Amino acid sequence: QAVLTRLPSPSLFGSDIDPVLLAAAYQTRSRFRFALTDPKKQRFEVPHENVGPFSGPAASNLKYKVDVQQNPFGIKVTRASNGKVLFDTTIGPLLYAEQFLQLSIKLPSSNVYGVGEHVHKQYQHDVRWKTWPIFSRDAAPSANMDNLYGVQTFFLCLEDNTGASLGVFLMNSNAMEFALQPAPAVTYRTTGGILDFYVFLGDTPEQVVQEYVKFIGLPALPSYWTLGFHLSRYDYGSLDAVKAVVERNRAIGLPYDVQYTDIDYMEGRKDFTYDKVNFKDLPSFQTYMHDYGQKYIIILDPAISTEALADGSSYQAYERGQSKKVWVNESDGVTPLVGEVWPGRTVFPDFTNPDCTSWWTEECKIFYNQVPYDGIWIDMNEVANFVQGSSNGCEQNELNYPPFTPHVVDRLLYSKTLCMDAVQKWGRHYDVHNLFGYSMTLSTQRAIETLFPGKRSFLLSRSTFAGSGKYAGHWLGDNAATWDHIKWAIPGMLEFGLFGIPYVGADICGFYENVTEELCRRWMQVGAFYPFSRNHNTKKCTPQDPAAFGADSVLVKSSKHYLNIRYTLLPYLYTLFYKAHTQGDTVARPVLHEFYSDEATWSVDKQFLWGPGLLITPVLDPGVDIVQAYVPDAVWYDYDSGAKIWLRKQWTQMYLPADKMGLHLRGGYVFPFQQPATTTVASRKNPMGLIIALDDNNEAAGELFWDDGESTGEPLSAS
């Protein structure tokens, strides 16, 4: 510990904290933590389940050395093996005021990856003076939307071509900015809380991810059926329309496991209700799906209507919540904050309140007894509000109008969300806004454990925070049917692997806008290899489920071909998820994680890997059948033909006609497979086998994890 005294200088944003307390700990061989707090007053700290006090014995045999510089203050973290400075805050001053905290870090290289959630057009960051705001926001991803649904403050830096890497994580839930500079350096600026930093060292990028993910929470192991293909749409309009889509995709023999209904299944878009006219047979829909070995997922939004049902009867979910006082309150801490979302006038559950979790769990159970379902998709949990802050407006104070506002959309913190002085159990919304989706995930996980005891079920969340992957997957939000968005999905997917949320994908064929056959065909090809593979689009757009393009279309034939490959390789994919769940590995993996000694791979983001062994090269541009593809330094075999590729460590022109994408198996690996069927229930009964791809030494090795596919607890077998 050390006490830091402020150097004489002008105040930037007022209310400077002096002195500041530094507490630091050698937590593990590979993890160093330091926090900067106010010794005179308790400041907000993230109540994360994995953050403990600075206590216990220091780790030994450290991979790093730490030096604290005085006058001005700075911390340097050096790699013990080679003396290289990895993390150096002396590049800029520490600023510490009531509502403005800043720390800059000089890095060993410009190879920076991570931080979110944003549309990053490339996986490797541009360090030329680019600033990214971080604040959860209901905003469709586009080139101009700088802050999106989730808050992920972790980045990875590849130091050099030995693979040595470090990771940096700031445990802070306030609105902030992350700025990159060509030094190379990064700067965190946040509007509150404390500066609580973790530095992770690894000999490879993959090791750094493992260290970070073990700290914030190892990701959930998905149920086997959730690795199948999913179909969804906003506004089918009726259950008959849903069944028509199900039937036509069954008829073409599409591998397909999961069907969703979006908010149009509800009465007046109210949670825990269903439309008794257009969806009158919904109570039997799960059975209809199960009879074919398929599953049914419902959507739930956090905002709860304050209004009665269409027949004039009271809306019981609201009435029960009201009696238990489970809503987010206005600044007085008593009056429920009223906003407006899909159902009209709404209140917002305070998922940081244990009473709210109990209420939410009970509502999920009551509704399940009316309309059985297999899993829950949670949306709009940034938290979204269609009026600015509240129906009553927001007060003029330093929470709603802080002295420093990050460069967020609309330059207003309460835009499209709640007033910052609203009160929750964990604290003011100013401090806990970015935790709303995370707290809703925790409460919904409790509901799932109650509904499906002993089973893993399914949970998908739009808004995430560090550690969300322990309970939920994520999709990349309301994308558009454009060639830009098919490209940008790959960096987004790879980043969520870094964040410990490997069960991730983008809406295949795009959510907004009418999709062309060519774009949807190319998207179905690459989407067959998203860890979470779902085709989903919005109302008033043309249907884009594969069968909608005609049973004999090239799109259908290509989609079936690549989904059959996905289902064939599900034992391999499931094993990758087991390794993610037990040791923090990535699943959809950047090429650089396996071939870091080759500088050409450091910026590859139009190709990706499944684990170490399957290279995926999609077509991401219109009118193209020749793609510039990188062949990393290994033996590779074409998946379809088994032919050996006589190229390595070089760019090549890969010929990929309309029905084809690049799929290559890496020599040295054994891939467990299973004869595919149109559902995972059926395919799990089929014969299994091994694809053995030999390396230069005519050797190969592999692993298989196998269990019943859905139970919690100890696996049935692993080999």
Side-chain angles (χ1 to χ4, degrees):
Q1 287 193 352
V3 175
L4 314 178
T5 305
R6 189 173 183 274
L7 294 172
S9 62
S11 178
L12 274 180
F13 295 102
S15 303
D16 290 281
I17 308 296
D18 187 22
V20 168
L21 178 67
L22 165 69
Y26 302 114
Q27 289 197 314
T28 72
R29 282 190 69 210
S30 304
R31 183 174 86 224
F32 171 65
R33 178 190 182 191
F34 71 94
L36 295 155
T37 59
D38 182 349
K40 298 176 184 174
K41 188 178 85 173
Q42 178 67 41
R43 293 177 62 81
F44 178 78
E45 298 185 26
V46 179
H48 197 279
E49 59 182 333
N50 288 1
V51 175
F54 283 86
S55 60
S60 57
N61 195 20
L62 301 176
K63 290 186 173 182
Y64 55 89
K65 186 165 83 72
V66 178
D67 295 299
V68 179
Q69 176 181 297
Q70 300 179 20
N71 198 29
F73 161 76
I75 284 183
K76 288 185 180 180
V77 180
T78 304
R79 188 175 285 276
S81 61
N82 59 12
K84 182 184 284 188
V85 178
L86 307 182
F87 180 104
D88 180 1
T89 72
T90 64
I91 191 172
L94 164 67
L95 302 176
Y96 210 115
E98 184 65 35
Q99 291 181 273
F100 182 80
L101 295 77
Q102 174 176 298
L103 191 73
S104 297
I105 305 154
K106 190 172 189 310
L107 298 172
S109 89
S110 299
N111 304 313
V112 178
Y113 309 88
V115 169
E117 183 176 8
H118 311 110
V119 171
H120 292 148
K121 298 179 188 177
Q122 58 191 50
Y123 182 55
Q124 185 181 40
H125 271 288
D126 180 356
V127 299
R128 293 170 299 180
W129 306 107
K130 179 64 183 171
T131 297
W132 296 97
I134 300 177
F135 192 61
S136 60
R137 162 95 187 196
D138 170 16
S142 74
N144 303 315
M145 282 295 175
D146 277 350
N147 54 301
L148 291 178
Y149 312 105
V151 167
Q152 302 291 340
T153 58
F154 171 81
F155 72 86
L156 182 146
C157 178
L158 176 70
E159 296 162 34
D160 53 40
N161 63 8
T162 68
S165 305
L166 79 146
V168 176
F169 171 60
L170 171 61
M171 180 64 88
N172 181 292
S173 61
N174 288 82
M176 69 176 79
E177 287 181 349
F178 178 78
L180 299 116
Q181 301 111 57
V186 298
T187 298
Y188 286 92
R189 304 183 191 100
T190 182
T191 59
I194 66 169
L195 294 177
D196 190 2
F197 278 97
Y198 296 79
V199 183
F200 305 87
L201 273 71
D203 296 330
T204 65
E206 201 64 9
Q207 273 186 22
V208 169
V209 176
Q210 290 167 352
E211 290 291 332
Y212 171 61
V213 173
K214 284 172 188 170
F215 165 64
I216 52 142
L218 288 158
L221 178 63
S223 295
Y224 198 89
W225 60 265
T226 70
L227 301 182
F229 179 65
H230 303 223
L231 265 183
S232 180
R233 173 160 193 161
Y234 171 34
D235 210 12
Y236 282 111
S238 71
L239 191 61
D240 287 344
V242 177
K243 286 183 174 180
V245 170
V246 174
E247 292 294 342
R248 73 187 182 210
N249 284 282
R250 287 177 180 175
I252 62 169
L254 188 79
Y256 158 42
D257 263 80
V258 185
Q259 180 63 51
Y260 295 65
T261 51
D262 208 319
I263 59 174
D264 48 303
Y265 78 82
M266 302 173 183
E267 179 187 317
R269 296 164 168 176
K270 293 177 172 70
D271 280 354
F272 312 117
T273 68
Y274 71 98
D275 181 337
K276 305 293 197 306
V277 177
N278 294 314
F279 286 81
K280 66 178 185 298
D281 294 329
L282 200 62
S284 62
F285 185 65
Q286 186 203 46
T287 300
Y288 162 82
M289 294 298 290
H290 283 194
D291 286 347
Y292 199 80
Q294 294 171 308
K295 306 288 186 180
Y296 171 49
I297 303 293
I298 63 162
I299 192 172
L300 292 172
D301 291 345
I304 298 294
S305 173
T306 62
E307 296 160 4
L309 299 177
D311 63 3
S313 61
S314 65
Y315 177 30
Q316 287 298 302
Y318 167 71
E319 297 295 345
R320 286 186 287 261
Q322 182 78 345
S323 69
K324 293 178 179 174
K325 296 182 167 57
V326 299
W327 315 127
V328 175
N329 288 319
E330 291 190 357
S331 59
D332 62 6
V334 177
T335 310
L337 184 150
V338 177
E340 185 177 319
V341 196
W342 297 118
R345 283 174 60 84
T346 56
V347 287
F348 300 88
D350 176 14
F351 293 104
T352 72
N353 179 349
D355 292 339
C356 181
T357 298
S358 300
W359 162 81
W360 183 253
T361 299
E362 187 60 24
E363 295 304 327
C364 289
K365 188 175 178 183
I366 291 168
F367 187 61
Y368 178 84
N369 289 334
Q370 297 174 53
V371 177
Y373 50 86
D374 295 298
I376 301 174
W377 162 30
I378 53 177
D379 193 12
M380 305 292 287
N381 54 349
E382 292 68 34
V383 54
N385 182 9
F386 295 165
V387 297
Q388 303 284 57
S390 155
S391 296
N392 297 326
C394 298
E395 294 176 29
Q396 186 83 32
N397 59 39
E398 287 204 332
L399 293 178
N400 293 318
Y401 299 93
F404 166 71
T405 299
H407 204 68
V408 295
V409 178
D410 297 335
R411 311 295 174 263
L412 185 68
L413 292 184
Y414 62 75
S415 174
K416 215 173 180 187
T417 189
L418 311 185
C419 297
M420 293 294 112
D421 58 0
V423 178
Q424 297 185 236
K425 194 77 170 180
W426 282 358
R428 293 282 177 176
H429 196 71
Y430 182 85
D431 294 313
V432 304
H433 169 83
N434 286 334
L435 299 170
F436 195 97
Y438 175 69
S439 62
M440 186 182 184
T441 296
L442 296 179
S443 296
T444 310
Q445 175 62 22
R446 182 72 58 82
I448 281 172
E449 289 166 358
T450 302
L451 291 172
F452 309 104
K455 293 186 178 180
R456 282 172 251 151
S457 182
F458 171 90
L459 175 53
L460 188 74
S461 178
R462 191 166 76 174
S463 187
T464 64
F465 189 76
S468 287
K470 184 175 178 182
Y471 307 103
H474 174 64
W475 86 106
L476 298 176
D478 296 342
N479 61 357
T482 69
W483 291 95
D484 275 341
H485 281 227
I486 192 176
K487 291 183 187 76
W488 299 342
I490 295 175
M493 189 168 61
L494 296 178
E495 285 170 348
F496 273 87
L498 299 184
F499 305 149
I501 307 177
Y503 188 69
V504 62
D507 281 346
I508 296 167
C509 300
F511 179 70
Y512 286 118
E513 303 179 24
N514 292 326
V515 70
T516 64
E517 186 277 343
E518 182 190 13
L519 175 55
C520 196
R521 171 172 24 95
R522 292 303 194 183
W523 215 325
M524 283 296 299
Q525 290 169 3
V526 65
F529 298 93
Y530 290 169
F532 165 58
S533 182
R534 181 181 73 167
N535 178 314
H536 176 51
N537 74 323
T538 191
K539 62 180 180 178
K540 296 181 182 174
C541 290
T542 53
Q544 63 187 35
D545 57 284
F549 291 87
D552 296 324
S553 65
V554 178
L555 183 144
V556 163
K557 291 173 182 173
S558 178
S559 298
K560 286 174 63 177
H561 177 71
Y562 287 107
L563 285 172
N564 271 315
I565 293 173
R566 178 189 182 88
Y567 277 57
T568 299
L569 292 177
L570 281 184
Y572 174 68
L573 181 62
Y574 193 53
T575 302
L576 295 178
F577 270 106
Y578 175 73
K579 294 186 77 172
H581 172 64
T582 53
Q583 59 194 47
D585 291 20
T586 58
V587 175
R589 187 168 300 173
V591 177
L592 77 97
H593 277 217
E594 291 294 316
F595 300 96
Y596 45 74
S597 61
D598 180 358
E599 293 186 23
T601 68
W602 297 356
S603 59
V604 170
D605 56 12
K606 294 184 173 58
Q607 298 166 272
F608 60 98
L609 295 159
W610 264 13
L614 181 70
L615 179 65
I616 296 134
T617 307
V619 177
L620 305 172
D621 289 293
V624 163
D625 59 10
I626 293 177
V627 170
Q628 272 280 102
Y630 193 71
V631 182
D633 191 11
V635 177
W636 296 97
Y637 301 88
D638 178 74
Y639 181 90
D640 284 322
S641 69
K644 189 173 183 179
I645 305 301
W646 297 101
L647 295 171
R648 59 199 292 172
K649 202 176 181 183
Q650 67 185 79
W651 291 94
T652 186
Q653 303 275 350
M654 196 175 286
Y655 176 58
L656 301 171
D659 61 346
K660 182 108 171 113
M661 67 179 292
L663 215 55
H664 293 89
L665 298 167
R666 182 179 175 187
Y669 290 86
V670 177
F671 301 84
F673 75 87
Q674 191 159 28
Q675 185 180 317
T678 54
T679 66
T680 54
V681 169
S683 65
R684 280 179 65 91
K685 297 173 183 175
N686 286 343
M688 299 183 75
L690 303 174
I691 302 170
I692 301 169
L694 299 177
D695 64 12
D696 289 321
N697 299 317
N698 288 327
E699 294 176 347
E703 295 165 289
L704 169 66
F705 168 76
W706 203 246
D707 66 355
D708 68 1
E710 63 178 1
S711 294
T712 57
E714 292 302 309
L716 300 185
S717 64
S719 62

